Amino acid sequence: MYRPAIYTAGGITAFVVEADTAGITVEQRNEFMGLRGIENGVTRLYQARVPAENRIGAEGDGLKVALATLNTGRLSLPAMCAGAAKWCTEIARQWSGERVQWGRPIAEHDAVAGKIAFITATTVALGSVAELSSLVADQGRHDIRIEAALAKLYSSELAWLVADDLVQIRGGRGYETADSLVARGERGVPVERMLRDLRITRIFEGSTEIMHLFIAREAVDAHLTAAGALIDPETTVSRKVRAAGQASRFYARWLPSLVTGRGQHPRAYAEFGPLATHLRFVELASRRLARQTFYGMMRWQARLEHHQRFLGRLVDIEAELFAMSASCVRAQQMHSNDLQQGRDARDLADRFCRQARVRVQELFERLWTNTDAPDRATARRTLDGRYEWAEQGILDPSIAGPCIAEVRGGPSELADQHRTV
Ligand SMILES: Cc1cc2nc3c(=O)[nH]c(=O)nc-3n(C[C@H](O)[C@H](O)[C@H](O)COP(=O)(O)OP(=O)(O)OC[C@H]3O[C@@H](n4cnc5c(N)ncnc54)[C@H](O)[C@@H]3O)c2cc1C
């Protein structure tokens, strides 16, 4: 078995370290909520010798190697999420058609139908996102950092919502383990396991919060290059004057490009048939997104980086637009290849885009109408301990077993009651 490791010698350098190398001990195998088949653990390397031929790339290039592998590595997650969503669609279809409540299959109740439509449309979109970003990676012609990050961010967030909706559709059986279902004579459908396995995708390979910052940084990069010196409090006055000239030239060209474009023409993207309207929306929304990014820059200047939820919403809009474009392009391709399935693909892309447009509109509204500032104050007061009273009156969940004796604060009757359990 091989394991990549990073050593410091002449900078950071990447190596393949064989697991049976003398000096390597696995001190602890970690256990997780899901993904129980993986072997992560605490590994100690003590005087382990690695032959020079095991080096990956040049000496000192280790960080570059690690960061480059992140791009393609990240793309495994959209594929995994798309696969998980496909399975969720199948289970949702089967169960909601079979389970009868209040005289009808649950699929015919509006609340459940909405979830099925979300699961199905999102599944097709996640497939399109995974395919498009992998295709661009395979071509090897483009820098795919942003596509990979957007695909990872979006797929992990949406697949989680899909799996959560499936748990809800399965009701109590969604929360029950497959083994328990089998033991009482039912089909062992591991929906709770799917939810547990998917949860980590929002954390590893770059957490959602870090992906937001990484992608936002790219979005504001052009502005920082053009006007960074202007908003830097350390810049001298003479440097600011020079920077003002440079920024004016940049914005004189850039700002008009945000006002008009192909998306305003009512026949634009006509080759996409009924999906053309969504591509026009994508283009117009992209311009609006660029304008909002600019307003954010103007309003907060160098402090913009601290407004992480504002930046996060900008990136979430970008991710929705990316998924809409991918869905339309793939549906159109399917339509060209096979008329019947292509028509269905267009219908589902249309459904997805309509759902995504509602989310985009909400995100635009929440850019400027939100509770971000008072929330930050509440977080500070929470950290200061001012609301510790709100934590009282519960049994401590870290104490295992049914004989829970400790109650943190709260009414004494509650404590007495639980001491007798
Ligand atoms: C099952 C599993 C498998 C893993 N496999 C691997 C692996 O194969 N290789 C590997 O290298 N790593 C692996 N990891 C580690 C994983 O990549 C990290 O756990 C993940 O990147 C988050 O880092 P952290 O745990 O240190 O969280 P922290 O960095 O402590 O973050 C905690 C929280 O704070 C947020 N946060 C942190 N910094 C900021 C910031 N500047 N602004 C806003 N929010 C912020 C995070 O998003 C998160 O919500 C694995 C972890 C798990 C659980």
Side-chain angles (χ1 to χ4, degrees), residues 32 35 38 40 200 203-210 213 308:
F32 301 106
L35 297 191
I38 66 170
N40 286 43
I200 187 62
I203 297 172
F204 66 9
E205 296 280 340
S207 67
T208 289
E209 292 75 17
I210 298 301
L213 298 184
Q308 293 188 342

Side-chain angles (χ1 to χ4, degrees), residues 376-393:
R376 277 193 292 277
T378 300
R380 264 196 305 275
R381 287 196 286 268
T382 301
L383 272 267
D384 288 347
R386 182 152 158 194
Y387 304 135
E388 271 183 25
W389 53 266
E391 301 163 14
Q392 304 302 317

Side-chain angles (χ1 to χ4, degrees), residues 163-174:
D164 187 47
D165 269 0
L166 177 63
V167 171
Q168 199 67 18
I169 288 175
R170 286 275 297 169
R173 289 169 179 81

Side-chain angles (χ1 to χ4, degrees), residues 7 9 53 99 277 296 385:
Y7 270 50
E53 61 264 26
R99 174 74 169 165
T277 175

Side-chain angles (χ1 to χ4, degrees), residues 281-353:
F281 175 89
V282 168
E283 200 200 294
L284 292 172
S286 303
R287 290 173 199 285
R288 186 174 170 199
L289 184 63
R291 287 197 300 273
Q292 299 300 324
T293 308
F294 178 67
Y295 299 152
M297 283 270 300
M298 289 298 101
R299 174 158 176 194
W300 291 302
Q301 304 197 358
R303 286 173 290 118
L304 177 61
E305 64 173 305
H306 301 301
H307 292 265
Q308 293 188 342
R309 277 177 293 172
F310 177 85
L311 293 173
R313 289 181 199 113
L314 292 177
V315 172
D316 285 341
I317 294 170
E318 195 177 337
E320 293 283 3
L321 301 179
F322 178 61
M324 285 175 70
S325 312
S327 302
C328 292
V329 168
R330 181 158 171 250
Q332 188 55 23
Q333 197 183 32
M334 287 177 73
H335 190 261
S336 321
N337 295 342
D338 170 348
L339 199 62
Q340 180 50 45
Q341 212 181 49
R343 246 202 307 267
D344 290 345
R346 269 181 167 180
D347 282 351
L348 281 177
D350 178 65
R351 181 88 336 260
F352 171 75
C353 287

Side-chain angles (χ1 to χ4, degrees), residues 103-117:
R104 288 194 277 173
I106 55 170
E108 290 179 23
H109 295 294
D110 184 51
V112 178
K115 291 182 179 47
I116 296 169

